[in-house]
Amino acid sequence: MRAPVCAALLVWVLTDAAARQFSEEEMAAVRQRIKSMFYHAYNSYLDNAFPYDELRPLTCDGQDTWGSFSLTLIDALDTLLVLGNRTEFQRVASILQDTVDFDIDVNASVFETNIRVVGGLLSAHLLAKRAGMELEPGWPCSGPLLRMAEDAARKLLPAFETPTGMPYGTVNLLRGVSPTETPVTCTAGVGTFILEFATLSRLTGDPTFENVARRALRALWKTRSDIGLVGNHIDIVSTKWVAQDAGIGAGVDSYFEYLVKGAVMLQDEELLSMFQAYDRAIQNYTRFDDWYLWVQMHKGTVSMPIFQSLEAFWPGLQSLLGNLDSAVRTFQNYYSVWRQFGGLPEFYSIPQGYTVDKREGYPLRPELIESAMYLFRATGDHTYLQLGVDALESIEKIAKTPCGYASVKDLRDHQLDNRMESFFLAETIKYLYLLFDPTHFLHGGGTEGDGSWEEGGEAGECVLGAGGFIFNTEAHPLDPAALYCCGRHDQDRQELQDILLTLSQPGSQSKPPPKQTEGGSQSESIALKPGEKKTPPLLSCPVQPFSARLSILGQVFTDDT
């Protein structure tokens, strides 16, 4: 078994690399190289492939892949702002408003359309003020990009009209779900909607989107096995598991990601408790020597002792929960594979220490770089910056073509494939750039923010852009503070105002009425009696003076935090 040898070699590499500290000038130079990579790919798409979905970098032309709506342009829009290009952001946002139409006779993936199109448009909408765009009154509760995101999401809603609430995998954007559509879809295709759909509901005031996403999550939760695991593909009508392999990789990955990120963004204990239950089962049955294998969901016996490249998001997710020791060890395993091939093969046999037949490719995926970004933010260890440089140089050396960057068909001999996925611009380059920019506004500008907070809402009563952005699984950043700006939270704001007025009157004994939750039951008031102490929930924030309590680094303070 070669994996322990690779891991041992990596420990030496990490120890050696840890001695080097990157200066601000060196990090700035790397950022410039990353920008050059982006613009080589981006300009090649514009020159050779627009308005098709994706660039074909070997033949210098384009193709439609996921729906025929200039997908790469939507996916890359917020990356333009991340790199500081406000002018091009404004130009592209205007082009998309004029050219993209979702009322078309196209069969589209419900999952991909949500994470790439809905997520990309929502992110761009929430970044519009920072990009210098002209805003409608009441932003972020209105705006053309928000309406586009809502239009795209409404085209997906027919897929959720099932007996269980779990969605079909494909929907026709003009006619809805085909009568012959298969009811079998992957686990991630059921559980990867809560970030985008909850954001839409909170901004538009229409609870439909968040409701269908929650119903799907709860239906999927009920299908877990007796040992607490879920499989890979499920019949969404009968709830029978068609593929019973349980793991953290392809077909499952973003389901777990959205439970954690949904819990953080929505301050939702239900989602967190779901993930914690899954995590206990995952650690018990699938983890071996800091690798995560695939097991039979009912028995826990190993079915596939392989590592999939999509699993490389896991150390980053662990870091969000504070599980740093485990995250670092697992990351070292994954990076040993990268060093072996100059990229992550789609499948890697852990016992054999080599690629799996017909799964030798690397389509320039972002997951290992994503985890490096999170781990650098969590630890400050410059080792991860060296890994970022290695990734940058590998992609430049192996995948660059005169017309962009090509997916690697076979990492053994570096054959290329004629495709540049839109996620290369949306995720891979974005995470790589953010890894080398620790004071970027998406990181909160350091520990205290970057001094450019934004007002939002009808009367400017909301503070946005303070940091704490949540990345969807396509790396589109969503601002949690924006979720508390719009109409459905008018009652919350009025209650808070009443409390403040009461507290400002000396000797006043009046008490605001307890808030009614959506289910009709009363929740605890944020006004405590003298001498009372409040027990913090699982998701809690540090106590702050009121002037800081609206949002600190993006963590929203609500009545029960």
Side-chain angles (χ1 to χ4, degrees):
M1 181 172 176
R2 296 169 61 182
V5 176
C6 293
L9 287 173
L10 183 67
V11 170
W12 176 84
V13 171
L14 292 177
T15 303
D16 181 70
R20 180 187 176 188
Q21 295 291 303
F22 283 74
S23 68
E24 299 236 351
E25 292 77 14
E26 288 174 316
M27 294 174 70
V30 175
R31 290 199 298 272
Q32 283 303 123
R33 292 179 61 187
I34 297 167
K35 282 187 177 182
S36 296
M37 172 185 280
F38 173 83
Y39 285 113
H40 177 62
Y42 177 76
N43 290 331
S44 294
Y45 168 78
L46 289 181
D47 293 342
N48 300 286
F50 178 77
Y52 291 103
D53 279 341
E54 292 179 355
L55 169 70
R56 298 204 302 172
L58 301 184
T59 53
C60 298
D61 56 13
Q63 64 179 344
D64 283 331
T65 51
W66 294 111
S68 187
F69 24 66
S70 304
L71 182 62
T72 293
L73 210 55
I74 296 175
D75 238 357
L77 182 54
D78 55 18
T79 307
L80 286 166
L81 187 63
V82 169
L83 301 183
N85 195 336
R86 298 171 63 185
T87 302
E88 183 67 0
F89 181 101
Q90 295 171 19
R91 188 184 77 87
V92 170
S94 178
I95 290 174
L96 292 174
Q97 293 171 47
D98 294 337
T99 61
V100 174
D101 181 11
F102 299 115
D103 195 24
I104 52 178
D105 188 5
V106 167
N107 292 323
S109 163
V110 180
F111 170 84
E112 298 289 353
T113 303
N114 176 59
I115 66 170
R116 302 194 197 207
V117 178
V118 178
L121 291 170
L122 281 174
S123 175
H125 165 70
L126 293 174
L127 295 173
K129 186 169 186 177
R130 186 177 293 270
M133 292 186 65
E134 184 177 347
L135 303 176
E136 293 182 359
W139 175 90
C141 310
S142 65
L145 294 175
L146 176 61
R147 287 190 289 274
M148 288 181 67
E150 182 180 5
D151 185 23
R154 288 199 185 280
K155 295 292 185 179
L156 306 181
L157 288 180
F160 291 82
E161 296 172 3
T162 66
T164 62
M166 293 188 284
Y168 285 98
T170 303
V171 66
N172 185 282
L173 299 182
L174 189 63
R175 293 192 292 266
V177 178
S178 168
T180 60
E181 176 65 25
T182 175
V184 177
T185 191
C186 67
T187 307
V190 174
T192 309
F193 295 92
I194 191 63
L195 292 183
E196 298 84 2
F197 276 28
T199 300
L200 263 179
S201 284
R202 305 295 177 94
L203 294 179
T204 65
D206 184 348
T208 301
F209 302 104
E210 183 171 349
N211 288 345
V212 299
R214 286 188 180 277
R215 186 184 178 211
L217 283 174
R218 288 166 179 157
L220 188 56
W221 169 251
K222 294 177 182 177
T223 66
R224 65 197 187 283
S225 69
D226 290 340
I227 61 174
L229 296 172
V230 288
N232 195 272
H233 280 74
I234 190 171
D235 185 315
I236 54 95
V237 174
S238 69
T239 71
K240 292 182 179 179
W241 285 100
V242 177
Q244 298 186 3
D245 297 302
I248 61 171
V252 186
D253 48 358
S254 54
Y255 170 44
F256 297 138
E257 178 186 2
Y258 271 42
L259 290 178
V260 173
K261 292 181 176 179
V264 174
M265 187 174 80
L266 303 173
Q267 298 287 281
D268 192 304
E269 294 184 20
E270 179 188 14
L271 300 182
L272 182 62
S273 65
M274 286 180 179
F275 177 80
Q276 289 173 330
Y278 281 130
D279 192 42
R280 287 191 291 271
I282 289 167
Q283 301 301 325
N284 284 338
Y285 293 101
T286 76
R287 181 180 174 186
F288 295 87
D289 293 331
D290 298 305
W291 296 92
Y292 291 84
L293 312 184
W294 289 83
V295 303
Q296 210 283 337
M297 64 175 289
H298 295 290
K299 301 176 182 177
T301 53
V302 175
S303 58
M304 293 188 294
I306 62 172
F307 157 63
Q308 297 181 353
S309 61
L310 285 169
E311 296 172 16
F313 84 102
W314 188 258
L317 193 70
Q318 287 180 303
S319 76
L320 292 179
L321 297 164
N323 302 326
L324 287 179
D325 289 343
S326 175
V328 168
R329 291 195 301 270
T330 298
F331 184 92
Q332 290 175 355
N333 283 343
Y334 296 169
Y335 191 68
S336 71
V337 179
W338 179 287
R339 291 184 61 84
Q340 186 178 350
F341 297 100
L344 290 185
E346 294 286 68
F347 285 17
Y348 176 85
S349 171
I350 297 171
Q352 296 178 0
Y354 207 63
T355 60
V356 174
D357 187 41
K358 297 182 180 180
R359 293 292 188 273
E360 304 94 349
Y362 169 57
L364 309 183
R365 292 196 187 278
E367 283 76 17
L368 189 69
I369 300 167
E370 173 188 0
S371 283
M373 182 199 75
Y374 281 115
L375 287 171
F376 177 61
R377 291 290 297 165
T379 67
D381 186 346
H382 282 221
T383 297
Y384 296 104
L385 299 182
Q386 182 59 52
L387 306 187
V389 170
D390 292 347
L392 173 63
E393 293 178 345
S394 291
I395 294 171
E396 284 281 3
K397 180 179 179 179
I398 297 171
K400 189 174 184 178
T401 75
C403 289
Y405 293 84
S407 297
V408 182
K409 186 176 183 178
D410 193 328
L411 278 169
R412 296 171 302 178
D413 57 13
H414 296 168
Q415 290 184 57
L416 299 180
D417 198 8
N418 195 19
R419 186 175 186 185
M420 187 179 79
E421 290 256 19
S422 68
F423 59 64
F424 177 64
L425 296 177
E427 299 185 75
T428 307
I429 291 179
K430 184 184 293 152
Y431 283 133
L432 196 55
Y433 187 85
L434 291 173
L435 170 61
F436 287 92
D437 193 356
T439 61
H440 196 278
F441 75 85
L442 287 177
H443 295 316
T447 57
E448 299 297 335
D450 64 356
S452 57
W453 293 4
E454 305 159 340
E455 291 184 351
E458 290 288 348
E461 68 272 33
C462 295
V463 175
L464 289 84
F469 289 83
I470 302 295
F471 293 93
N472 86 337
T473 198
E474 191 77 4
H476 294 305
L478 302 172
D479 189 346
L483 276 61
Y484 297 84
C485 281
C486 303
R488 68 176 293 173
H489 292 283
D490 284 343
Q491 181 181 348
D492 292 357
R493 290 199 298 272
Q494 184 60 52
E495 179 184 321
L496 190 57
Q497 183 177 356
D498 292 343
I499 293 171
L500 292 175
L501 289 173
T502 300
L503 295 177
S504 67
Q505 299 171 5
S508 174
Q509 298 298 316
S510 61
K511 180 179 177 182
K515 177 186 171 184
Q516 293 290 322
T517 64
E518 287 186 352
S521 60
Q522 293 181 349
S523 64
E524 183 184 1
S525 170
I526 64 174
L528 301 179
K529 297 177 181 178
E532 274 189 331
K533 291 185 178 180
K534 189 171 182 180
T535 302
L538 290 175
L539 294 170
S540 61
C541 301
V543 175
Q544 299 288 333
F546 177 77
S547 61
R549 291 193 66 177
L550 179 61
S551 176
I552 177 170
L553 295 182
Q555 293 179 298
V556 176
F557 290 81
T558 61
D559 62 332
D560 49 4
T561 56

